[in-house]
Amino acid sequence: MSPVISVKNSTQSIQGKLYWDEILAESCRGAPLDAWRSYMQQIYRRLLRDWLPGATSGFGLKTDLFEEAVSPHYLLSDLGQGSVGIDCSPAIVQAACRRLQVNNPQHLLIVGELRQLPLKAGAIKRVLAGSSLDHFPNKSDIAKSLLELARVLAPGGTLVITFDNPHNPVVWLRNLLPFVWLNRLGLVPYYVGKTYTRTEARKQLKAVGLTVTDETAVAHAPRAPAIWLVMLVERLGWPSLQSLIARFLDSSERLERWPTRYRTGYYIALRAQKGRRGDPPCDTSV
Ligand SMILES: C[S@@+](CC[C@H](N)C(=O)[O-])C[C@H]1O[C@@H](n2cnc3c(N)ncnc32)[C@H](O)[C@@H]1O
C-alpha cells in the first residue's frame, strides 16, 4: 500500500522551490566536497544506528533529498527498502531520482512541501529530518512542519531530527548577521532561517504529541574552515592529504562526549517517539 496521498495537490502551494533549484545548480558547479559530505553521512549513520537500531519494517521518510541529489554520500537507503524521500525542489527530486535509480530503484521520491506533507496519517514508521526544517523565516513554519511529521508517523514510530544549534556561538553569531553578507562572503551557501533552542525543540516536539527520548549535539568540526580546507585539498588532488582531512573530521566527533558538546556541535539532534494507541495522552499545553 502506498503511503502517498496525492503528489499533484502537494506541489501546488510550494514556495521557494525555484530558489532550491538554483542552489542545486550552484552546488553542481562547485567542489564535490567529498570528505565533508562523507563526514556528514557518517554522523547521520551513527544517529540512525544508535537511535533506530534494526529498523526494517514499514516505510521510512527522509525530509529532503539534497544529499541524494548532489553526492554519493546519501542516507535514504539507510532508512530501509521502499523509503520515501520528499523535497520541495523539482530539480533536486529529479537529480536524486537519477542517482537512486541507478543504485537502488526501490525508493519513492516526491516533490512536496514539509508544511503540508502529501502523506497519509500514520503511514510512516521512521523519519530522518536532517536540518531540513532550518530554512524557514518564521518559527511558526517549523512548528507546522513538526505537526505534519507527527501526523504522518505511525503509533510507536520514531523521529530523528536535527536543528541548527543556537547554543554554538558560531551559529548564534551567524543567525544574528544578515544572510546576504554571509552569502556574499561564501560563509553560508544557502538560506538558513530561524531555529529552536534545546528547550524550545523539546517543548514543540511535546506539543505535537511526541515524547523526546534522547538528545545530543553533533557535527563538531568547525564548519566553514573545514569546508574551505576540503575544497583546497580537492583542488590540490593529493589523496594522502584528503584522507588526513577525513580522519581529522571524524575525530572531531569525540567532542560529543565532552560536557561542552552543546557549545561545539553545529546541530542539536533529538530522538522523539509517537505513543502507541492506548498510551496516556500527551500534554499539548505548551
Ligand atoms: C540545502 S538543504 C539542507 C539540508 C541538508 N539535509 C543538510 O543537512 O545540509 C535544504 C533542503 O531542504 C529542501 N527544502 C527547503 N525548504 C523546504 C520545504 N519547505 N519543503 C520541502 N523541502 C524543503 C530544499 O529543497 C533542500 O533540498
Side-chain angles (χ1 to χ4, degrees):
M1 203 171 59
S2 167
V4 176
I5 293 175
S6 159
V7 175
K8 234 183 180 174
N9 286 345
S10 76
T11 60
Q12 283 168 2
S13 62
I14 291 166
Q15 285 159 15
K17 62 181 178 176
L18 291 178
Y19 173 75
W20 292 107
D21 285 4
E22 281 164 24
I23 294 297
L24 172 69
E26 254 172 47
S27 298
C28 293
R29 284 193 296 271
L33 302 179
D34 213 45
W36 178 259
R37 297 200 197 286
S38 163
Y39 161 66
M40 287 308 303
Q41 181 191 42
Q42 291 314 314
I43 286 173
Y44 282 113
R45 281 201 163 148
R46 271 195 290 272
L47 283 180
L48 294 178
R49 187 198 59 207
D50 294 348
W51 287 356
L52 283 172
T56 47
S57 67
F59 293 106
L61 169 69
K62 185 166 182 283
T63 54
D64 76 77
L65 288 165
F66 195 70
E67 291 88 349
E68 288 68 16
V70 300
S71 140
H73 304 291
Y74 55 82
L75 289 147
L76 188 60
S77 306
D78 294 70
L79 291 171
Q81 285 289 323
S83 292
V84 181
I86 195 160
D87 201 292
C88 68
S89 152
I92 288 178
V93 173
Q94 270 169 18
C97 267
R98 280 194 294 274
R99 187 185 304 280
L100 288 164
Q101 253 164 25
V102 176
N103 295 332
N104 187 339
Q106 302 299 327
H107 297 298
L108 179 60
L109 307 190
I110 49 186
V111 177
E113 165 58 53
L114 284 168
R115 289 163 292 185
Q116 197 188 348
L117 289 172
L119 299 170
K120 292 175 189 158
I124 298 292
K125 209 60 207 289
R126 52 195 163 277
V127 177
L128 173 62
S131 183
S132 318
L133 276 58
D134 286 331
H135 309 285
F136 294 119
N138 299 305
K139 285 189 185 180
S140 59
D141 288 313
I142 311 178
K144 245 186 227 170
S145 307
L146 283 184
L147 202 59
E148 277 296 87
L149 292 175
R151 179 184 67 78
V152 302
L153 263 183
T158 307
L159 166 67
V160 174
I161 189 162
T162 61
F163 294 107
D164 282 343
N165 174 16
H167 307 281
N168 176 325
V170 176
V171 177
W172 176 81
L173 186 64
R174 183 205 68 185
N175 287 359
L176 275 188
L177 297 171
F179 167 69
V180 259
W181 295 5
L182 298 168
N183 189 237
R184 277 198 199 129
L185 288 170
L187 289 167
V188 180
Y190 40 70
Y191 177 74
V192 279
K194 293 278 185 264
T195 189
Y196 285 154
T197 62
R198 291 173 63 197
T199 308
E200 284 174 326
R202 280 197 303 265
K203 269 190 179 176
Q204 291 298 335
L205 286 163
K206 191 176 169 197
V208 298
L210 303 180
T211 305
V212 175
T213 59
D214 298 88
E215 186 186 347
T216 188
V218 295
H220 298 267
R223 189 181 170 95
I227 289 179
W228 283 331
L229 208 58
V230 168
M231 273 162 72
L232 179 72
V233 168
E234 274 178 359
R235 232 176 256 176
L236 293 173
W238 292 341
S240 53
L241 210 50
Q242 283 177 6
S243 62
L244 193 70
I245 299 288
R247 281 210 301 279
F248 161 72
L249 290 174
D250 280 338
S251 65
S252 67
E253 288 314 286
R254 286 192 205 132
L255 290 174
E256 189 186 346
R257 289 183 227 138
W258 289 39
T260 49
R261 62 183 169 279
Y262 290 105
R263 297 278 169 234
T264 54
Y266 203 83
Y267 300 109
I268 46 178
L270 299 109
R271 177 184 188 272
Q273 214 151 14
K274 185 161 169 175
R276 292 178 197 279
R277 278 185 201 102
D279 284 354
C282 292
D283 172 12
T284 54
S285 60
V286 271

